[in-house]
Amino acid sequence: MGVIFKISSCKPTIELASRLLGQHLVHETKEGISVGRIVETEAYLSDDPACHASRGMTKRNQVMFGPPGYAYVYFVYGMYYCFNVVTAPEGVGEAVLIRALEPLEGIDLMFKRRPKIKRVEDLCNGPAKLVLAMGITKEHNGISLNQTPLFLEKNHLRKKEIVTTSRIGISEGIHFPYRFYLKDNRFISRK
DNA sequence: CTCTGGATTGAC
DNA sequence: TCAATCCAGAGG
């Protein structure tokens, strides 16, 4: 097993969003291990209207206000969940949404968790898709990402360029350049 | 309590 | 282009 990628360094959320690119997300379950390389992220800042935490702490977003390095998993559109990494110091509600992964290990298990999917490219190329493929559930909301069973593993990013654009699927703060992805990577979400 | 819309996805 | 599906958050 590799070195854990810890978020405790307290770097700005924007910087962490790009630094998370290339890191591996690992989930160990009784069914087996699943690993995906992070290829697309989005930053959500405390003063940003699109951020769940921008209007203060609520029952749903409270883990965003906790210490960095924890998982914020929320329910959306009546049927999906999205996975975030809490990035700011305690008291500041910020996080990075993981939008896409390149499947690396446990690919058979990912297909098993997503029976209708035919192509590897479609397994984790969207925030709700990777949650399903990795076996992440609402029970993971609030857990530490610095330890098993769900954690980030350090990995060197190759020469691939990081592309910065505006975020997807929001109605406010649409112009902010808070979306990051690996150029030419075939596992990123639409657009 | 009621109402509205959502950090999405996949079918048509 | 749009339905599925249901809860969080805002307002009364």
Side-chain angles (χ1 to χ4, degrees):
Chain A
M1 190 176 86
V3 179
I4 301 272
F5 179 90
K6 290 187 176 156
I7 303 290
S8 52
S9 48
C10 288
K11 296 198 182 299
T13 294
I14 294 284
E15 187 181 333
L16 282 170
S18 56
R19 289 177 75 116
L20 277 166
L21 291 176
Q23 313 307 326
H24 294 179
L25 179 63
V26 183
H27 191 199
E28 295 169 345
T29 68
K30 45 198 175 298
E31 304 172 278
I33 188 169
S34 310
V35 184
R37 177 169 172 255
I38 298 174
V39 297
E40 180 180 346
T41 61
E42 280 182 359
Y44 285 86
L45 308 194
S46 59
D47 61 349
D48 158 16
C51 179
H52 289 171
S54 66
R55 292 161 202 84
M57 196 191 303
T58 64
K59 189 175 182 180
R60 175 176 68 159
N61 68 24
Q62 60 176 339
V63 345
M64 289 181 89
F65 289 87
Y70 283 72
Y72 169 49
V73 180
Y74 70 90
F75 185 62
V76 73
Y77 288 113
M79 61 186 88
Y80 298 115
Y81 288 91
C82 291
F83 168 77
N84 297 250
V85 177
V86 176
T87 49
E90 194 158 2
V92 182
E94 303 193 343
V96 171
L97 171 69
I98 306 302
R99 285 196 58 91
L101 300 174
E102 173 177 339
L104 296 178
E105 266 186 72
I107 295 176
D108 289 345
L109 181 52
M110 293 184 187
F111 275 115
K112 189 180 163 192
R113 288 174 176 142
R114 304 203 61 208
K116 293 175 189 167
I117 302 305
K118 299 279 189 288
R119 312 182 312 162
V120 207
E121 296 85 357
D122 297 324
L123 242 20
C124 299
N125 60 344
K129 296 179 184 178
L130 86 260
V131 160
L132 293 170
M134 291 291 291
I136 294 170
T137 70
K138 62 182 177 187
E139 307 305 318
H140 293 93
N141 186 45
I143 71 164
S144 168
L145 294 172
N146 290 333
Q147 60 188 47
T148 186
L150 186 63
F151 55 93
L152 294 162
E153 202 173 85
K154 218 174 217 175
N155 216 271
H156 288 294
L157 188 57
R158 281 176 233 170
K159 284 241 172 122
K160 299 262 192 172
E161 287 176 45
I162 293 177
V163 180
T164 304
T165 60
S166 52
R167 295 171 295 183
I168 292 176
I170 53 173
S171 55
E172 293 180 287
I174 55 173
H175 58 287
F176 295 134
Y178 294 165
R179 174 173 175 241
F180 306 90
Y181 64 88
L182 299 188
K183 188 180 180 185
D184 299 327
N185 188 281
R186 57 194 251 264
F187 297 94
I188 65 170
S189 68
R190 70 202 158 80
K191 289 176 185 173

